């Protein structure tokens, strides 16, 4: 009888150990699954944060575009704006389908240029905007044209006493101090003496 009681007493710790091992294994499995769910949730939240950041950046760009459009609209609808058409140049015209309009604000500084129908410049070439002013011909920078796309350029500054604007076709990468290529478009009467 003592041997039976001794055997029962020795089985109890083994049963307890087995039960604890099973409970530990179950708890470990549950913790592993919970950790996997949390990692998945963290990844999802990171994606949402990234998407929110991208949406905020896009809204910022759209806000900037809207402000720019508002400025252009204010300029072109001002009763004091000077409107000067850009016309193709050359005999025959280099770009006969090109047309445009230069809008110059009353302060003779803010301007907006819209060009349409200008064909791509071609390999190794770029268009160059020039200001014809009392002090000479000054660079307004280079730009490119894509088929079927309108070109819009604007700035809050223009050389003083600018009387005309022109577009030439120059070698890409060159930075001439004066036009060296053929004149593609021109407009006059940019500056009115009051």
């Amino acid at each position: 009888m003592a041997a039976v009681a001794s055997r029962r007493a020795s089985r109890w710790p083994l049963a307890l150990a087995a039960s604890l091992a099973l409970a530990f294994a179950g708890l470990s499995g549950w913790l592993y699954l919970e950790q996997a769910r949390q990692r998945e949730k963290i990844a999802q939240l990171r994606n949402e944060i990234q998407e929110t950041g991208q949406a905020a950046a896009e809204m910022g760009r759209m806000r900037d575009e809207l402000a720019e459009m508002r400025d252009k609209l204010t300029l072109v609808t001002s009763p004091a704006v000077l409107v000067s058409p850009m016309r193709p140049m050359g005999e025959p015209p280099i770009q006969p389908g090109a047309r445009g309009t230069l809008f110059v604000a009353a302060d003779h500084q803010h301007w907006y240029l819209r060009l349409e129908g200008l064909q791509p410049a071609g390999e190794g070439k770029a268009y160059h905007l020039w200001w014809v002013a009392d002090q000479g011909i000054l660079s307004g920078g280079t730009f490119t044209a894509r088929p079927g796309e309108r070109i819009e350029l604007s700035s809050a500054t223009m050389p003083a006493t600018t009387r005309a604007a022109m577009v030439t076709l120059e070698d890409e990468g060159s930075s001439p101090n004066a036009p060296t290529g053929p004149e593609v478009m021109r407009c006059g009467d940019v500056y009115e003496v009051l």
Side-chain angles (χ1 to χ4, degrees), residues 52-111:
T52 301
Q54 289 171 345
E58 181 65 23
M59 284 180 62
R61 280 191 295 275
M62 291 173 85
R63 192 172 26 255
D64 292 345
E65 285 180 24
L66 182 60
E68 186 179 330
M69 289 172 70
R70 191 178 308 121
D71 290 345
K72 288 175 186 174
L73 180 63
T74 300
L75 175 66
V76 301
T77 59
S78 168
V81 69
L82 181 65
V83 180
S84 189
M86 294 283 290
R87 293 190 171 88
M89 299 301 291
E91 287 296 328
I94 296 170
Q95 295 268 349
R99 61 192 181 283
T101 308
L102 177 64
F103 300 89
V104 181
D107 67 0
H108 198 65
Q109 286 296 297
H110 293 81
W111 59 272

Side-chain angles (χ1 to χ4, degrees), residues 41-54:
K41 185 67 173 174
I42 288 170
Q44 179 185 357
L45 291 172
R46 280 189 180 139
N47 285 341
E48 287 176 13
I49 289 170
Q50 185 177 9
E51 288 171 5
T52 301
Q54 289 171 345

Side-chain angles (χ1 to χ4, degrees), residues 13-180:
L14 288 175
L16 179 61
S19 297
L20 287 174
L22 282 173
F24 181 72
L27 181 61
S28 294
W30 179 82
L31 287 173
Y32 179 79
L33 290 174
E34 191 61 30
Q35 187 180 26
R37 276 190 228 118
Q38 287 179 354
R39 277 195 299 264
E40 189 177 307
K41 185 67 173 174
I42 288 170
Q44 179 185 357
L45 291 172
R46 280 189 180 139
N47 285 341
E48 287 176 13
I49 289 170
Q50 185 177 9
E51 288 171 5
T52 301
Q54 289 171 345
E58 181 65 23
M59 284 180 62
R61 280 191 295 275
M62 291 173 85
R63 192 172 26 255
D64 292 345
E65 285 180 24
L66 182 60
E68 186 179 330
M69 289 172 70
R70 191 178 308 121
D71 290 345
K72 288 175 186 174
L73 180 63
T74 300
L75 175 66
V76 301
T77 59
S78 168
V81 69
L82 181 65
V83 180
S84 189
M86 294 283 290
R87 293 190 171 88
M89 299 301 291
E91 287 296 328
I94 296 170
Q95 295 268 349
R99 61 192 181 283
T101 308
L102 177 64
F103 300 89
V104 181
D107 67 0
H108 198 65
Q109 286 296 297
H110 293 81
W111 59 272
Y112 164 60
L113 175 63
R114 182 180 66 216
L115 300 171
E116 295 178 17
L118 200 59
Q119 298 302 311
E123 190 72 31
K125 300 287 186 182
Y127 290 108
H128 201 120
L129 174 65
W130 300 94
W131 302 114
V132 181
D134 287 352
Q135 61 268 37
I137 298 176
L138 306 168
S139 175
T142 61
F143 62 94
T144 59
R146 292 182 184 86
E149 287 187 17
R150 175 187 295 169
I151 299 164
E152 295 183 354
L153 307 170
S154 63
S155 178
T157 60
M158 168 187 277
T161 68
T162 296
R163 300 202 176 277
M166 64 183 189
V167 173
T168 62
L169 189 58
E170 304 289 343
D171 290 331
E172 194 172 42
S174 68
S175 54
N177 294 329
T180 58

